[in-house]
Amino acid sequence: IPGAIFAGHMDGRVRAYDTEDGKVLWSFDTSQPLPTLSGKPGQGGSMGGGGPVVHDGMVFIADTGKRLHCVDAATGAGIWTHDVKGESWATPLVADGKVYFATRRGEFLTFSAAREKRLLAEVALGAGVSATPVAADGTLYVATMTHLYAVSAR
């Protein structure tokens, strides 16, 4: 949305801020129930190292609770969430109408960049990913802890 900036925070919330006055426009909570030693329910969450990416009125952001979220950029309402096996430190990439998302367990997932959650592909890379995927000149680059992959339709 024009006049807004988006940020993930260590408290597990994604917030939209007005660029004129810095006021919070909305806040989306990614935290989830966590087990505790006392047996009492706890809440926790963190946005980790990756940031939000905005595309076509949607905000895509990963949390360290092993989930990718799609949030409405205008209202902050959750659109969809996808659970994965590993946490993510990288920012999702949106390119060519797709969302590319990687985890520290080596999962590499491709979604349609749409309001309806549609997983297009899932690949096990064999090593964790900490870096954000990069698209350039028709090639997708994915760096794991051990390899650099370049994927192209050519």
Side-chain angles (χ1 to χ4, degrees), residues 3 5 18 23 30 33 39 44 46 48 52 56 61 66 69 71 92-95 97 100 111 114 122 124 129 135 141:
I5 190 167
D18 186 299
K23 290 184 181 175
T30 69
S46 172
D56 200 20
I61 190 161
K66 303 177 183 175
H69 303 274
V71 179
L93 168 70
V94 176
Y100 299 98
F111 295 87
E122 184 172 359
V129 177
Y141 298 92

Side-chain angles (χ1 to χ4, degrees), residues 25-91:
L25 301 172
W26 55 255
S27 177
F28 176 78
D29 189 5
T30 69
S31 66
Q32 56 189 328
L34 297 174
T36 63
L37 292 175
S38 68
K40 295 179 183 177
Q43 278 294 105
S46 172
M47 299 318 300
V53 61
V54 181
H55 173 76
D56 200 20
M58 297 168 285
V59 178
F60 297 96
I61 190 161
D63 66 33
T64 56
K66 303 177 183 175
R67 297 177 300 175
L68 174 67
H69 303 274
C70 175
V71 179
D72 186 281
T75 67
I79 298 172
W80 55 260
T81 296
H82 187 82
D83 295 314
V84 293
K85 297 176 187 88
E87 62 185 26
S88 180
W89 293 359
T91 300

Side-chain angles (χ1 to χ4, degrees), residues 64-150:
T64 56
K66 303 177 183 175
R67 297 177 300 175
L68 174 67
H69 303 274
C70 175
V71 179
D72 186 281
T75 67
I79 298 172
W80 55 260
T81 296
H82 187 82
D83 295 314
V84 293
K85 297 176 187 88
E87 62 185 26
S88 180
W89 293 359
T91 300
L93 168 70
V94 176
D96 195 29
K98 298 174 185 73
V99 179
Y100 299 98
F101 173 66
T103 74
R104 297 272 300 147
R105 288 194 59 164
E107 299 163 276
F108 190 76
L109 301 98
T110 305
F111 295 87
S112 175
R115 292 182 171 272
E116 178 183 333
K117 181 171 75 170
R118 198 168 89 213
L119 178 62
L120 302 174
E122 184 172 359
V123 176
L125 298 176
V129 177
S130 294
T132 299
V134 175
D137 296 324
T139 301
L140 176 67
Y141 298 92
V142 182
T144 72
M145 300 303 280
T146 60
H147 292 83
L148 173 61
Y149 294 94

